[in-house]
Amino acid sequence: GTDDGNVWLTKDGGNSYEDISDGIPQRWITSITHHPKKPETVYVTVSGFRFGESASQVYVSDNFGEDWQSIGDGLPDIPVNDLVVDFDFLNTLYVATDVGVYVSTDAGVIWSRLGMEMPVVPVTDIDMHIPSGTLAAATFGRGMYIYELPTFVSVVDHESIDIKIFPNPTASILSI
């Protein structure tokens, strides 16, 4: 990936490259990440910061960049700087943005802020340490945060949740 919006692919160890930029905005490519188990699946983050654009731009291709699909629509309108695919939970994605780290457990359909301990600061780089199950986040202000990832990922139907509470009415505090 280059700062002029081009993404290049090599399948022969760098002897030749193919431009796979069609379908991606001509902006700064901040990160390219492949899926750990499916080499044909590629994720690209794009930043329009230099052009005064703040839209979050994350794209995925399941065919080595022949076609691209936007998966950043659920993120805040802020530049995205990096992306990591969870090695254990392959539909889980982490992105570094100019307002912290966000996570999606459904391959980019729904995004949520990761944890509440990290201040709302630009995160320029993230990396996952697989043996310890931690995510490291480097900030623009030269800070470093470590987040212990859960040992399991639970997906909840965000449409509706049926809960029966007894006794009814409840008293005091209800914890879920």
Side-chain angles (χ1 to χ4, degrees):
T2 61
D3 62 359
D4 61 354
N6 291 316
V7 177
W8 300 89
L9 170 70
T10 181
K11 294 181 181 177
D12 59 9
N15 291 322
S16 63
Y17 287 87
E18 174 187 356
D19 185 352
I20 58 171
S21 305
D22 286 343
I24 299 173
Q26 292 293 306
R27 298 294 184 254
W28 186 12
I29 305 299
T30 55
S31 175
I32 299 174
T33 304
H34 69 87
H35 193 282
K37 304 275 179 158
K38 298 185 279 185
E40 69 278 3
T41 300
V42 182
Y43 299 90
V44 173
T45 61
V46 180
S47 175
F49 179 78
R50 290 182 181 172
F51 300 90
E53 299 170 359
S54 61
S56 59
Q57 300 179 70
V58 181
Y59 296 88
V60 63
S61 173
D62 291 323
N63 53 14
F64 290 108
E66 290 180 28
D67 302 301
W68 294 98
Q69 176 186 356
S70 174
I71 59 170
D73 298 337
L75 289 164
D77 284 335
I78 201 76
V80 179
N81 303 313
D82 201 2
L83 184 142
V84 171
V85 181
D86 193 309
F87 196 81
D88 292 324
F89 306 105
L90 299 175
N91 283 332
T92 301
L93 308 174
Y94 302 95
V95 292
T97 73
D98 279 3
V99 292
V101 179
Y102 282 77
V103 60
S104 174
T105 58
D106 52 14
V109 176
I110 297 172
W111 294 92
S112 303
R113 188 159 185 252
L114 180 66
M116 302 309 285
E117 297 81 21
M118 185 184 316
V120 179
V121 296
V123 176
T124 57
D125 188 34
I126 54 175
D127 199 8
M128 187 173 188
H129 185 252
I130 296 168
S132 67
T134 57
L135 187 77
T139 70
F140 181 74
R142 297 187 292 180
M144 178 70 76
Y145 292 87
I146 302 293
Y147 186 83
E148 289 186 33
L149 299 173
T151 55
F152 66 92
V153 175
S154 63
V155 177
V156 177
D157 179 2
H158 294 282
E159 301 282 329
S160 65
I161 300 173
D162 293 328
I163 300 174
K164 294 185 181 193
I165 303 170
F166 295 98
N168 192 9
T170 60
S172 187
I173 297 174
L174 172 65
S175 298
I176 297 177

